[in-house]
Amino acid sequence: MKELVTFQVGSYANFIGSHFWNFQDELLGLLEDPQAHLVFKNQNLDMDVLYRTGETQQGMPTYTPRMISVDFQGSLGSMSSSGTLYNHNPSSSSRVATWTGNVSTQASEPHKKNLFLQRLYDEGQETNGSEILDTDVVKSLEDGVQFWTDFSKVHYHPQSLFELNGSWMNPQEFNNYGIGRNTLSEGLQGDEINERLRFFIEECDHVQGIQFMVDDSGGFSGVAASLLENIEDEYTNVPVLLYSVRSPNSYNNLTSRKLSITRNLHDAVSFSALSSLCKLIVPVGLPSLSESKVSQYLNVENEKPYQSSAVYASAIHSITIPFRMKKVGPTGESSNESGGMNLYECIQMLAGQGRQNSVAVLDAAMPPPSMAAGRFQQPLLGNLQPLTPETAHDVDDSQAIESLIVHGALGAGEHEASVSEVSEAVETEYESTSSRPRFSHLSLSRCPLPIPLPFPSIFNNLVGRRGDLLLTTPTESGSSSRRGSLDVHSIPMAARLRSTTAVLPFLENRLGYIRKFGIERGSIGASVLTSWGFGREEVEEIGENLSKMVLTLDPQQGYSSDDSD
């Protein structure tokens, strides 16, 4: 077995991670549920790739994610940093000085569990004298999610949850790469997080890599860079697949030119640093998810991280499926799946074959109309839409490399598409397109995306119980324009990672930011970069790194940081 270790750094990354682990927990539950559809009984996914076995001090067996979460102190809501299984009460840190004089203490009130958490942990099956119904739980979540733990149904190991503290007064001040980098360099917090990583890696038989999610819209990108530097030094042969994620809220209009320039510089610095510390980086997060073509069958409120993060988590879940397909038989394929590969193979394919490109575009269709209309039919590729911002559309890139995963290709009624049917349909579509990539890898699984109870009500009225598209909207009493886990139990998904020139606008924008605001003589952002701890040579290195990434994709462009001198 080849295990994965998961890192989640920053608020939005943890929102995505919470949904991601809910999917895994739901798959585990359906595997044991005698009433579940047979496709979940034969899912052929090795969950040990993501999970670890253990036991509490009382000898109770546990099965918890092999994951480390880093977020602000106080971001866990009603959950303890020791998780929910071990009842561990850590002693005060030895690095905190003790004041022996007179002190006054103020204790904040613990966060009250919402209806979902109350029922999950059996703290009461009734509220106001009435039983807690599924409808009550759904409404509670839609109206009241504040923390990522508010909708998490997963038990975590005590080594998994780390609360970051620093000298900033509030999270709004933790808004740039520089402050994040300084946070871990000023104390022992970085060492403690690295020790937690060592705990998870050393118990692995053969770690296949690290999947790393970071909210790079603020200081957590600097925190992530420090952690990635340690991974590069300590675990040289362990590949990292990095998702740099952003919520729609992070794109809010800035109130001044100075703030806008600061954000642009942060974007350039953050991307350059993070991309240089991993094998493959995947930017994720559109300015307006609700207005994108990805939301063709969704009703997403951009201002709610609980909703938008569910979409991105669905795509990341899909991309990881090939990394945990069980090998059955001499060919490693079965009637339920094909095209399994490990994380290293995926990275080598996308970043290591000729182009040396270390950035990829993430596309998704949720659910793909071609897979939800009653039987598998074309087109599929045309329904995939970018979840990576600032990408070019309809790019004819004959040198592109793609990794495509299609899962849950179940039709309505008695017909269910076989793996071979789906494979033939995708291949036919590739053959008919005028811009076929240089290389494509197709992974297939009959196991759909399960929709657990905490999943937000973001589907529109055309999405049916198994992700099938309805010819007419439901007319049952109480139906609305939003459907969630009470109406939709699973959906088919398609997701794709692409190494392509479509990402050039994203790269060119960041190169332009650093050249205009950081490198040109008299640039007004020089003082900002200095305050973040960057000297002139470091800034020029950032420009050179971004320039090389652009030139790799478009050799005709002669970008160089020296052009401005």
Side-chain angles (χ1 to χ4, degrees):
M1 180 187 67
K2 294 186 176 182
E3 303 92 342
L4 281 172
V5 179
T6 302
F7 246 116
Q8 299 165 194
V9 179
S11 301
Y12 198 60
N14 279 301
F15 265 81
I16 293 175
S18 188
H19 284 298
F20 176 87
W21 293 111
N22 280 350
F23 296 142
Q24 316 317 315
D25 187 81
E26 191 74 3
L27 286 173
L28 289 169
L30 290 168
L31 189 63
E32 302 296 329
D33 183 358
Q35 304 299 318
H37 192 283
L38 284 178
V39 73
F40 294 110
K41 302 291 188 182
N42 303 312
Q43 52 189 260
N44 289 327
L45 298 179
D46 186 356
M47 301 303 286
D48 288 347
V49 169
L50 296 173
Y51 279 76
R52 65 178 297 278
T53 57
E55 62 178 31
T56 65
Q57 292 180 342
Q58 293 74 33
M60 182 180 73
T62 61
Y63 197 54
T64 52
R66 194 179 295 106
M67 181 273 287
I68 300 171
S69 160
V70 180
D71 208 337
F72 291 121
Q73 189 169 34
S75 63
L76 296 177
S78 60
M79 184 180 291
S80 165
S81 60
S82 60
T84 54
L85 288 176
Y86 291 77
N87 296 319
H88 174 63
N89 293 316
S91 58
S92 299
S93 173
S94 60
R95 63 177 180 269
V96 178
T98 302
W99 168 252
T100 57
N102 295 325
V103 296
S104 62
T105 61
Q106 292 181 330
S108 59
E109 290 292 327
H111 292 284
K112 183 180 178 180
K113 290 183 173 67
N114 59 24
L115 295 184
F116 169 69
L117 296 177
Q118 288 178 38
R119 197 171 73 170
L120 181 66
Y121 297 114
D122 295 324
E123 292 191 357
Q125 293 293 319
E126 297 186 356
T127 178
N128 297 325
S130 303
E131 181 183 357
I132 301 178
L133 303 176
D134 286 348
T135 51
D136 298 326
V137 170
V138 169
K139 188 175 188 305
S140 166
L141 292 171
E142 290 297 337
D143 297 339
V145 166
Q146 182 179 359
F147 306 100
W148 64 268
T149 56
D150 287 344
F151 58 94
S152 174
K153 69 193 203 83
V154 179
H155 291 294
Y156 298 100
H157 190 275
Q159 295 283 0
S160 284
L161 307 179
F162 186 87
E163 294 180 279
L164 191 70
N165 59 71
S167 58
W168 60 89
M169 297 300 294
N170 57 64
Q172 284 70 38
E173 295 181 4
F174 195 71
N175 60 1
N176 62 71
Y177 180 90
I179 193 171
R181 188 170 73 165
N182 293 337
T183 296
L184 289 195
S185 65
E186 292 172 350
L188 301 178
Q189 294 185 99
D191 292 338
E192 184 173 346
I193 299 171
N194 293 331
E195 282 299 314
R196 295 183 182 216
L197 175 61
R198 182 173 292 109
F199 169 83
F200 286 112
I201 284 188
E202 288 186 349
E203 67 178 11
C204 294
D205 294 328
H206 188 177
V207 61
Q208 65 169 286
I210 297 172
Q211 56 177 6
F212 202 119
M213 286 180 273
V214 55
D215 182 346
D216 82 330
S217 61
F220 280 111
S221 60
V223 172
S226 296
L227 298 175
L228 288 166
E229 287 174 358
N230 172 73
I231 293 172
E232 189 176 53
D233 292 339
E234 297 291 328
Y235 311 103
T236 307
N237 296 321
V238 178
V240 175
L241 172 57
L242 175 63
Y243 301 95
S244 58
V245 302
R246 292 197 174 184
S247 74
N249 290 333
S250 68
Y251 291 92
N252 290 341
N253 292 331
L254 300 176
T255 56
S256 70
R257 175 170 168 77
K258 181 179 179 181
L259 288 176
S260 179
I261 291 173
T262 300
R263 170 54 61 85
N264 290 340
L265 284 172
H266 165 83
D267 289 355
V269 169
S270 174
F271 180 79
S272 176
L274 294 176
S275 62
S276 67
L277 292 167
C278 65
K279 297 296 184 182
L280 184 67
I281 185 170
V282 184
V284 178
L286 303 177
S288 177
L289 190 58
S290 64
E291 297 176 2
S292 69
K293 292 183 179 179
V294 180
S295 297
Q296 182 178 4
Y297 300 104
L298 306 176
N299 289 323
V300 179
E301 296 180 57
N302 290 321
E303 65 275 13
K304 291 186 176 181
Y306 167 58
Q307 292 190 5
S308 60
S309 60
V311 177
Y312 299 130
S314 301
I316 291 175
H317 163 81
S318 300
I319 289 299
T320 68
I321 286 179
F323 307 154
R324 46 208 166 106
M325 287 181 175
K326 291 181 180 179
K327 299 296 184 182
V328 289
T331 63
E333 298 184 356
S334 73
S335 60
N336 291 298
E337 65 201 21
S338 66
M341 61 177 169
N342 62 41
L343 182 143
Y344 174 79
E345 292 169 335
C346 177
I347 289 176
Q348 284 296 101
M349 179 180 67
L350 292 167
Q353 290 196 3
R355 298 174 64 150
Q356 296 298 318
N357 183 25
S358 61
V359 57
V361 172
L362 175 62
D363 304 307
M366 180 185 181
S370 55
M371 294 163 59
R375 59 183 295 123
F376 192 85
Q377 56 189 9
Q378 298 181 50
L380 170 67
L381 301 177
N383 287 308
L384 288 162
Q385 300 296 330
L387 295 178
T388 296
E390 303 170 47
T391 53
H393 296 278
D394 301 321
V395 172
D396 186 4
D397 184 3
S398 61
Q399 296 302 304
I401 302 171
E402 300 182 354
S403 174
L404 172 65
I405 170 69
V406 180
H407 64 106
L410 304 177
E414 297 298 322
H415 180 85
E416 295 180 0
S418 67
V419 167
S420 59
E421 281 183 279
V422 179
S423 178
E424 290 171 5
V426 172
E427 179 59 28
T428 299
E429 190 172 354
Y430 267 126
E431 290 176 353
S432 63
T433 183
S434 60
S435 56
R436 178 165 186 162
R438 178 163 64 92
F439 181 79
S440 59
H441 178 276
L442 176 62
S443 301
L444 300 167
S445 172
R446 293 186 65 227
C447 184
L449 177 78
I451 304 299
L453 179 62
F455 195 87
S457 299
I458 59 174
F459 298 107
N460 67 23
N461 267 10
L462 291 178
V463 180
R465 180 183 176 88
R466 294 173 64 192
D468 49 308
L469 296 184
L470 307 177
L471 297 179
T472 59
T473 58
T475 57
E476 67 267 17
S477 175
S479 66
S480 67
S481 60
R482 293 184 178 275
R483 293 164 65 82
S485 58
L486 303 185
D487 311 294
V488 181
H489 290 201
S490 66
I491 63 168
M493 280 285 299
R496 176 177 62 185
L497 287 177
R498 285 186 291 158
S499 172
T500 171
T501 56
V503 80
L504 266 173
F506 179 93
L507 298 175
E508 290 169 338
N509 286 341
R510 277 140 189 81
L511 176 58
Y513 297 154
I514 198 67
R515 294 177 71 232
K516 181 177 180 179
F517 301 128
I519 295 177
E520 289 181 356
R521 285 194 177 94
S523 57
I524 58 179
S527 60
V528 173
L529 292 170
T530 300
S531 70
W532 294 353
F534 290 99
R536 175 74 181 183
E537 290 186 0
E538 289 179 293
V539 175
E540 290 180 347
E541 286 178 5
I542 293 170
E544 288 295 341
N545 181 44
L546 293 171
S547 177
K548 289 177 181 177
M549 297 182 77
V550 170
L551 287 171
T552 298
L553 292 174
D554 187 1
Q556 302 302 316
Q557 298 198 40
Y559 282 121
S560 169
S561 62
D562 295 333
D563 292 345
S564 59
D565 294 334

